[in-house]
Amino acid sequence: MENEASPPELIVQELTGDVPAQYVMPLQDRPSAAAAPAPIPVIDLGRLSSPDTDGGAAEEAAKLRSALETWGFFMVTNHGIESSLMDAMMNVSKEFFQNPPEEKQKYSNLLDGKRFRLQGYRSEMLKSEGRALDWSERLSLQVEPEEARRLDLWPNHPESLRDVLIKYATKTKIIRDLILRAMANILGLDEDYFVNRITTKAKALARLGYYPPCPRPDLVFGFKPHYDGGALTILFVEGQVGGLQVLRDGKWYDVISKPYTLLINIAECMEIMNNGIFPSPAHRVVTNMDKERLSVAIFYGADEETVLEPAPGLLDEKRPARYMKVKTKDYHNGVFGHFRQGKRFIDTLKI
Ligand SMILES: O=C(O)CCC(=O)C(=O)O
Ligand SMILES: [Fe+2]
């Protein structure tokens, strides 16, 4: 049985006392002591998509542009997801992580003690690569395309997780398209330029995250510094625990989300398509000594067969393409290989 091969000794929740050596970051890579808050713009999505009679939509679009050019992150309110559905999403996630380890391991993403699959539960990753482990547990489930959902890999406990996640992801998809269109408009491209490249065949992965309190936030990360690989990420962080940090001009800043707002960030496929005008930001999650933290991220990718390339409408003699063309499928393979070595595949595409 594939699940029996998982290493239960690494379930973070069960650890007590000081942190085990596998989680400790090398000295030069440890979390910095203090980070200033990032004044990330908050965009009212209702206003952004309203007919522009009073200049409201233009104002929101200007804020969005500024957020995308600087932080690569923005917050959204008035996004159309009822707070009751957001609460339900967080509650089912919490209930899942509260299951006993044996129950969670039934959904392990570890196939034979060595190979990982994209979907499933993991309490650690990349153990064999000699890099420090993240102080978090994750449950990843593919939510798009709809016909590719593997409901047999989705947990039964709590029973409502499936329904709630499907409802939630249906709503975030509407937000995705709204943002893709707004970005195309801001860049002066055909409104559907990005939507057409992401298509109904594009994959989306939901990742539920649980970060237990950690006795040594100075030594470990909840999630090591990284760039997201798809097109856009829509993130929902419970309450006001904080923990997420974003890199800007070589400095890490705290991202403080407000209750019931969503955080959206640009991922690398989108950076290629917009020719680096809106770069994909490095980000990470630090741990907290007293509080647990939960987050739900939906990663929207491009269609595997899509050729990723800087949009021709953005290029001219003065603004040449800064990235080589690559098929999404090849990009994903490249990212995986490079990430294991702590490198960025996108750097190999730069012209
Ligand atoms: O949990 C979070 O706040 C962020 C997680 C993240 O960056 C990711 O899953 O890629
Ligand atoms: Fe991320």
Side-chain angles (χ1 to χ4, degrees):
M1 284 244 316
E2 57 190 47
N3 299 321
E4 285 170 3
S6 318
E9 78 275 13
L10 287 175
I11 292 175
V12 189
Q13 237 175 341
E14 290 190 331
L15 300 169
T16 51
D18 229 345
V19 295
Q22 308 98 294
Y23 293 88
V24 176
M25 292 296 289
L27 198 57
Q28 68 279 14
D29 299 331
R30 289 183 188 164
S32 30
I40 293 196
V42 183
I43 317 292
D44 179 328
L45 285 197
R47 209 163 169 242
L48 178 70
S49 53
S50 66
D52 198 11
T53 46
D54 60 354
E59 226 173 84
E60 297 305 310
K63 275 197 282 177
L64 178 59
R65 170 170 218 133
S66 137
L68 292 170
E69 285 172 346
T70 52
W71 297 104
F73 266 94
F74 55 96
M75 271 181 243
V76 297
T77 55
N78 201 4
H79 45 58
I81 312 187
E82 306 84 354
S83 18
S84 56
L85 179 55
M86 295 180 85
D87 287 339
M89 185 64 243
M90 242 354 135
N91 287 337
V92 292
S93 176
K94 200 175 284 186
E95 277 181 59
F96 171 76
F97 289 111
Q98 281 167 349
N99 277 315
E102 323 76 79
E103 177 62 25
K104 291 186 275 194
Q105 290 296 352
K106 283 188 194 162
Y107 304 98
S108 174
N109 70 338
L110 198 58
L111 289 177
D112 48 17
K114 276 203 289 285
R115 283 182 307 125
F116 291 95
R117 67 177 164 211
L118 188 65
Q119 296 198 73
Y121 167 74
R122 72 169 170 230
S123 54
E124 50 84 34
M125 75 179 285
L126 301 177
K127 177 164 71 118
S128 56
E129 301 303 314
R131 302 182 71 207
L133 301 178
D134 288 338
W135 194 267
S136 50
E137 298 176 37
R138 298 168 203 163
L139 174 69
S140 303
L141 301 169
Q142 189 179 338
V143 290
E144 304 282 348
E146 207 178 308
E147 59 280 7
R149 282 178 195 153
R150 289 275 312 273
L151 292 181
D152 55 313
L153 298 177
W154 291 31
N156 292 317
H157 298 287
E159 213 183 321
S160 53
L161 189 147
R162 293 178 184 193
D163 274 0
V164 172
L165 179 55
I166 288 172
K167 277 200 192 108
Y168 181 79
T170 306
K171 298 274 186 169
T172 52
K173 195 175 174 188
I174 298 170
I175 300 174
R176 175 198 73 174
D177 289 348
L178 197 155
I179 298 298
L180 291 175
R181 292 200 169 95
M183 282 199 302
N185 279 329
I186 289 172
L187 291 167
L189 297 169
D190 177 72
E191 184 171 69
D192 285 331
Y193 182 82
F194 296 125
V195 171
N196 289 342
R197 264 143 202 89
I198 287 174
T199 82
T200 50
K201 282 190 270 151
K203 273 190 194 154
L205 193 73
R207 184 189 283 157
L208 283 47
Y210 174 68
Y211 303 79
C214 173
R216 296 297 303 271
D218 55 324
L219 300 181
V220 310
F221 279 116
F223 205 130
K224 285 186 288 300
H226 66 281
Y227 298 83
D228 290 347
L232 272 189
T233 305
I234 302 186
L235 180 67
F236 169 30
V237 181
E238 191 201 29
Q240 283 173 294
V241 185
L244 180 67
Q245 296 187 332
V246 59
L247 187 68
R248 182 173 169 190
D249 300 330
K251 244 178 86 178
W252 290 98
Y253 291 84
D254 280 325
V255 179
I256 321 275
S257 50
K258 301 185 172 65
Y260 301 112
T261 60
L262 295 169
L263 275 160
I264 302 184
N265 69 278
I266 294 282
E268 286 183 341
C269 292
M270 184 53 71
E271 173 175 334
I272 296 172
M273 289 191 274
N274 68 46
N275 203 30
I277 298 174
F278 302 150
S280 156
H283 54 285
R284 64 189 195 183
V285 179
V286 295
T287 59
N288 190 297
M289 252 183 181
D290 315 304
K291 294 182 206 155
E292 61 176 20
R293 176 180 189 276
L294 283 124
S295 68
V296 174
I298 314 267
F299 303 98
Y300 285 106
D303 180 344
E304 293 284 285
E305 297 304 320
T306 294
V307 175
L308 297 169
E309 61 175 333
L314 296 175
L315 310 178
D316 57 31
E317 265 171 34
K318 285 205 193 103
R319 300 173 305 171
R322 288 152 72 180
Y323 305 84
M324 287 184 279
K325 288 185 189 185
V326 63
K327 217 181 210 185
T328 305
K329 198 173 13 186
D330 300 328
Y331 163 80
H332 283 142
N333 291 335
V335 165
F336 188 67
H338 280 68
F339 182 69
R340 290 159 78 95
Q341 301 159 27
K343 293 190 187 135
R344 286 186 84 186
F345 179 62
I346 199 170
D347 288 341
T348 68
L349 300 171
K350 285 187 180 154
I351 297 173

